[in-house]
Amino acid sequence: MTTNFETLFSPYLALRLAAFDNMKLIAAVLTEAGEAYQCVEANLLASAANEQVNRGYFVQWGDCWLYCGLCNSYADPIVLMTKIELEQIDVASVDVVSVPVMSMQQVDFMCIESAHFDHC
Protein backbone atom coordinates (compact mmCIF):
# COMPACT_ATOMS: atom_id res chain seq x y z
CA MET A 1 0.00 0.00 0.00
CA THR A 2 1.78 3.11 -1.22
CA THR A 3 -0.76 5.73 -0.19
CA ASN A 4 -2.65 6.09 3.05
CA PHE A 5 -6.33 5.92 3.87
CA GLU A 6 -6.83 9.60 4.69
CA THR A 7 -5.12 10.77 1.50
CA LEU A 8 -7.37 8.71 -0.76
CA PHE A 9 -10.67 8.76 1.09
CA SER A 10 -10.91 12.09 2.95
CA PRO A 11 -13.28 13.56 0.30
CA TYR A 12 -15.70 10.67 0.89
CA LEU A 13 -15.60 10.09 4.66
CA ALA A 14 -18.59 12.32 5.39
CA LEU A 15 -20.78 10.43 2.91
CA ARG A 16 -23.37 7.91 4.04
CA LEU A 17 -24.05 5.56 1.11
CA ALA A 18 -25.52 2.13 0.74
CA ALA A 19 -22.96 -0.53 1.69
CA PHE A 20 -22.60 -1.83 -1.88
CA ASP A 21 -22.23 1.74 -3.17
CA ASN A 22 -19.46 2.30 -0.61
CA MET A 23 -17.73 -0.79 -1.96
CA LYS A 24 -18.06 0.50 -5.55
CA LEU A 25 -16.70 3.88 -4.49
CA ILE A 26 -13.69 2.28 -2.77
CA ALA A 27 -13.03 0.08 -5.81
CA ALA A 28 -13.08 3.13 -8.09
CA VAL A 29 -10.76 5.18 -5.88
CA LEU A 30 -8.27 2.34 -5.42
CA THR A 31 -8.32 1.47 -9.13
CA GLU A 32 -7.70 5.14 -10.01
CA ALA A 33 -4.75 5.17 -7.57
CA GLY A 34 -3.33 1.94 -9.04
CA GLU A 35 -3.77 0.06 -5.77
CA ALA A 36 -4.54 -3.67 -5.44
CA TYR A 37 -7.64 -4.66 -3.46
CA GLN A 38 -10.26 -7.37 -3.04
CA CYS A 39 -13.98 -6.87 -2.36
CA VAL A 40 -15.60 -9.42 -0.05
CA GLU A 41 -18.81 -10.22 1.75
CA ALA A 42 -18.62 -11.91 5.16
CA ASN A 43 -20.53 -12.67 8.33
CA LEU A 44 -19.84 -10.64 11.42
CA LEU A 45 -19.52 -12.84 14.49
CA ALA A 46 -22.54 -12.51 16.73
CA SER A 47 -22.09 -11.43 20.33
CA ALA A 48 -23.62 -13.42 23.18
CA ALA A 49 -26.36 -10.79 23.51
CA ASN A 50 -27.10 -10.69 19.78
CA GLU A 51 -27.39 -14.08 18.10
CA GLN A 52 -28.51 -12.67 14.75
CA VAL A 53 -25.90 -13.14 12.03
CA ASN A 54 -25.13 -9.92 10.21
CA ARG A 55 -23.50 -9.98 6.79
CA GLY A 56 -21.34 -7.08 5.66
CA TYR A 57 -19.29 -5.79 2.76
CA PHE A 58 -15.55 -5.21 3.14
CA VAL A 59 -12.60 -4.24 0.98
CA GLN A 60 -9.21 -5.74 1.75
CA TRP A 61 -6.52 -3.29 0.69
CA GLY A 62 -3.01 -4.51 1.46
CA ASP A 63 -3.03 -5.24 5.16
CA CYS A 64 -5.95 -2.84 5.77
CA TRP A 65 -9.63 -3.72 5.79
CA LEU A 66 -12.29 -1.15 4.97
CA TYR A 67 -15.81 -1.70 6.28
CA CYS A 68 -18.52 -0.65 3.81
CA GLY A 69 -21.57 -1.50 5.91
CA LEU A 70 -24.09 -4.26 6.43
CA CYS A 71 -25.39 -5.82 3.22
CA ASN A 72 -28.90 -4.47 3.81
CA SER A 73 -27.77 -1.01 4.91
CA TYR A 74 -28.48 2.11 2.90
CA ALA A 75 -26.58 4.80 4.86
CA ASP A 76 -23.17 3.77 6.18
CA PRO A 77 -19.80 5.52 6.31
CA ILE A 78 -16.55 4.03 5.04
CA VAL A 79 -14.56 2.85 8.05
CA LEU A 80 -10.93 1.78 8.34
CA MET A 81 -11.15 -1.25 10.64
CA THR A 82 -8.92 -1.72 13.67
CA LYS A 83 -7.28 -5.04 14.57
CA ILE A 84 -9.92 -5.60 17.27
CA GLU A 85 -12.75 -4.97 14.79
CA LEU A 86 -11.13 -7.42 12.34
CA GLU A 87 -11.63 -10.19 14.89
CA GLN A 88 -15.40 -9.78 14.39
CA ILE A 89 -15.18 -11.06 10.80
CA ASP A 90 -16.00 -14.76 10.42
CA VAL A 91 -13.10 -15.75 8.15
CA ALA A 92 -14.82 -19.02 7.16
CA SER A 93 -17.75 -17.06 5.66
CA VAL A 94 -15.74 -14.75 3.39
CA ASP A 95 -16.93 -14.69 -0.23
CA VAL A 96 -15.23 -12.64 -2.95
CA VAL A 97 -17.60 -10.15 -4.58
CA SER A 98 -17.28 -8.93 -8.14
CA VAL A 99 -17.80 -5.18 -8.19
CA PRO A 100 -18.13 -3.08 -11.34
CA VAL A 101 -15.36 -0.49 -11.39
CA MET A 102 -16.75 2.97 -12.04
CA SER A 103 -14.90 5.93 -13.45
CA MET A 104 -14.35 8.84 -11.08
CA GLN A 105 -16.99 10.78 -13.03
CA GLN A 106 -19.49 8.01 -12.30
CA VAL A 107 -18.51 8.17 -8.62
CA ASP A 108 -19.25 11.91 -8.66
CA PHE A 109 -22.67 11.29 -10.17
CA MET A 110 -23.41 8.56 -7.62
CA CYS A 111 -22.50 10.91 -4.76
CA ILE A 112 -24.59 13.76 -6.19
CA GLU A 113 -27.53 11.42 -6.67
CA SER A 114 -27.21 10.19 -3.08
CA ALA A 115 -27.02 13.75 -1.71
CA HIS A 116 -30.11 14.71 -3.73
CA PHE A 117 -32.03 11.66 -2.47
CA ASP A 118 -31.10 12.43 1.15
CA HIS A 119 -32.57 15.94 0.89
CA CYS A 120 -35.79 15.20 -0.97
Side-chain angles (χ1 to χ4, degrees):
M1 180 172 51
T2 58
T3 50
N4 69 26
F5 176 76
E6 290 80 18
T7 301
L8 288 177
F9 295 102
S10 61
Y12 309 104
L13 295 179
L15 294 175
R16 300 298 181 261
L17 300 175
F20 194 77
D21 287 345
N22 279 335
M23 197 163 49
K24 291 189 307 186
L25 184 149
I26 292 168
V29 170
L30 292 176
T31 298
E32 179 77 13
E35 298 282 338
Y37 63 91
Q38 185 172 34
C39 298
V40 300
E41 183 178 340
N43 292 337
L44 293 169
L45 297 173
S47 65
N50 177 14
E51 294 192 23
Q52 177 183 352
V53 175
N54 290 315
R55 196 132 172 97
Y57 290 124
F58 306 87
V59 176
Q60 182 183 12
W61 170 39
D63 59 354
C64 295
W65 283 72
L66 306 177
Y67 176 64
C68 303
L70 295 177
C71 291
N72 60 352
S73 178
Y74 63 91
D76 274 321
I78 296 170
V79 177
L80 178 63
M81 297 182 73
T82 66
K83 290 184 188 255
I84 293 172
E85 291 169 330
L86 282 175
E87 294 173 3
Q88 298 175 2
I89 298 174
D90 179 6
V91 178
S93 72
V94 171
D95 293 317
V96 175
V97 177
S98 178
V99 177
V101 178
M102 299 186 297
S103 69
M104 293 312 293
Q105 183 179 21
Q106 290 171 308
V107 168
D108 290 344
F109 289 140
M110 180 180 70
C111 294
I112 291 169
E113 182 178 89
S114 175
H116 174 73
F117 177 76
D118 285 347
H119 294 97
C120 288

